[in-house]
Amino acid sequence: MNIPTMITVRGYLKLAVRGERVELFINALTEAGIPVWDVKPTGMHAAEIKLLLRDFWSLRPLLKRTGCRTKVIERNGLPFRARNLWRRKAFALGLVLFFALLTALCSMVWDVQVEGNETIADEDILAAAQKEGVYPFQWIFRLQPMDKLSTNMTARLPEASWVGVERTGTRIRIQIAEADIPEKPPLMSPRHLISTRDAVVTRIYAEKGLPKVQVNSRVKKGDILISGVLGDEENSQTVVAKGEVRGLVWHEYDIEVPLVKKHKVYTGQDKERAYLVLGDRAIQLWGYGDIAYAKHEMLTFYDPFTWRTRQLPFGWMTEKIMEVTEVQQTITAEEARTEGIEAAKRDILAKYGADSRFVTQKILHDKNENGKVYMKVLFEVEETIAKELPIVYNQGE
Amino acid sequence: MSRISRKLQNLMQEVLDLPQDLMFDLPRLTLIGNKELHIENHRGVRHFSDERLVLALSQGSLEISGAGLSIQAIQSHEVTVMGTIHHIQYSETGEKP
């Protein structure tokens, strides 16, 4: 009530006044229009008053006139704080520097993260971001608005159909939605298609190139089936020959199949040994003793200790020793033959392509000797016979 | 102040129903419990101690006695007194400060 405003900012003093006529001094103050407050009598001829720092220097004539003396008891408010701080310059400087540094570090991009890219390299995206002014240690206030950045980044990265840029604190997140770009066909040099082996052509289909043979013609290994050179001698162009050529091929197989087969069968009896592995040394922990089985198989499992994804040089090793017995199985000669032919057919399919078709098979020779069936079988197979041969230009002529 | 002008003033006051403190320069006291006393139209402090505060008025003086008295704020015509107030005594006679 009636106290001047913002006394802490303007600074105020608490004075002890003593003198014969303190009342007179107070009256003089009010007449001079100097605001004072919290006037407390402390004795017969003494009082405490508070007044603004601004008015302190105008007290002197009043004091002289009323014959009072003052003593400053308290100094309060910003001007005195500022003076104290000025005395400790290094401290004040540190204070200011601290806040300045804190503000500076908070208004800096520290981290740029890229998300959602599979085929575009992170480096390319970061390079594009750098051109847009998004890089670590960049001032945040120098960044363009996020929606503008996002548009510019999308323009810079043609492989991306959308780029989202988002800032959380000092971290920039770039989200990429990649565009589906059709795969380019691999570049191929001009070529012929030639025959892989002697055959009779059963089917020829030239997607590109000039077919040189017809169905039912006999070709030798290395003959050109589909030529990659188009046109006549004067006007010619080389292309990548492409197509499908199938032909009848004969394969001769010598087959031997034993009539008695031996199988290994687990009896179910087993024994385990455990080791502690340290480096390249294994210390057996349990499972000592001889192996009591006549025949056995051993399975070894090594389980190294890992730290995150790194393998440590020690771990557990277990060996499982399982008893096996041999079982003999006798088959008839007829079964042995079918088995042998099936095995040969599987071999052909594996070697010459799964789309091979068996046309005929002929057992040329067949004998049963020493507990084995020996056969010579001729297979007539329709299979793909085309192979690429690059066209090499004659140089120097 | 002459008799005529005083009569005129009294008449004005009666006719216009103005508050007396404005018309006759009388003090206006606002007392809140026994804790706070607000006095307008004083003419300065005559005596000031813990138990006793004497204020000069345009006519006479006002003596306030109590315990732990202090002037919370003072301006040329207003004063706010805090503390425990026991007596407020008016005395017509009194020399000017």
Side-chain angles (χ1 to χ4, degrees), chain A residues 310-321:
Chain A
R310 198 179 295 260
Q311 279 196 5
L312 300 181
F314 44 87
W316 291 109
M317 189 171 80
T318 46
E319 281 181 349
K320 197 170 187 186
I321 297 148

Side-chain angles (χ1 to χ4, degrees), chain A residues 120 153-163 177-181:
Chain A
I120 313 173
M153 287 280 291
T154 313
R156 275 190 194 276
L157 294 167
E159 304 95 328
S161 60
W162 178 81
V163 180
E178 288 185 358
D180 287 331
I181 290 175

Side-chain angles (χ1 to χ4, degrees), chain B residues 28-81:
Chain B
R28 172 186 275 257
L29 276 69
T30 313
L31 181 66
I32 300 166
N34 61 347
K35 298 272 190 295
E36 192 180 320
L37 178 61
H38 189 74
I39 302 149
E40 289 163 60
N41 267 337
H42 72 93
R43 288 284 181 273
V45 183
R46 199 167 284 170
H47 176 84
F48 183 34
S49 71
D50 252 359
E51 293 92 30
R52 198 164 149 264
L53 172 66
V54 183
L55 292 172
L57 301 175
S58 54
Q59 285 175 343
S61 62
L62 187 72
E63 183 179 331
I64 300 144
S65 57
L69 296 180
S70 72
I71 296 171
Q72 210 214 351
I74 184 162
Q75 272 126 43
S76 55
H77 291 282
E78 270 181 65
V79 62
T80 308
V81 181

Side-chain angles (χ1 to χ4, degrees), chain A residues 245-258:
Chain A
V245 185
R246 288 168 75 84
L248 282 178
V249 184
W250 285 1
H251 295 289
E252 209 179 77
Y253 267 80
D254 283 318
I255 301 166
E256 53 174 86
V257 183

Side-chain angles (χ1 to χ4, degrees), chain A residues 104-177:
Chain A
L105 295 185
C106 286
S107 53
M108 216 179 236
V109 175
W110 282 102
D111 194 13
V112 180
Q113 289 180 339
V114 179
E115 280 175 12
N117 55 327
E118 276 165 24
T119 53
I120 313 173
D122 279 4
E123 287 76 15
D124 294 347
I125 295 161
L126 290 178
Q130 181 139 25
K131 279 180 190 154
E132 286 303 322
V134 180
Y135 49 88
F137 308 118
Q138 165 75 297
W139 296 109
I140 284 169
F141 52 80
R142 286 183 64 186
L143 292 179
Q144 286 172 293
M146 292 298 144
D147 52 341
K148 204 169 178 190
L149 273 181
S150 157
T151 321
N152 291 355
M153 287 280 291
T154 313
R156 275 190 194 276
L157 294 167
E159 304 95 328
S161 60
W162 178 81
V163 180
V165 186
E166 158 182 82
R167 182 177 71 85
T168 20
T170 58
R171 178 169 298 161
I172 303 269
R173 267 175 66 200
I174 300 172
Q175 282 172 313
I176 304 276

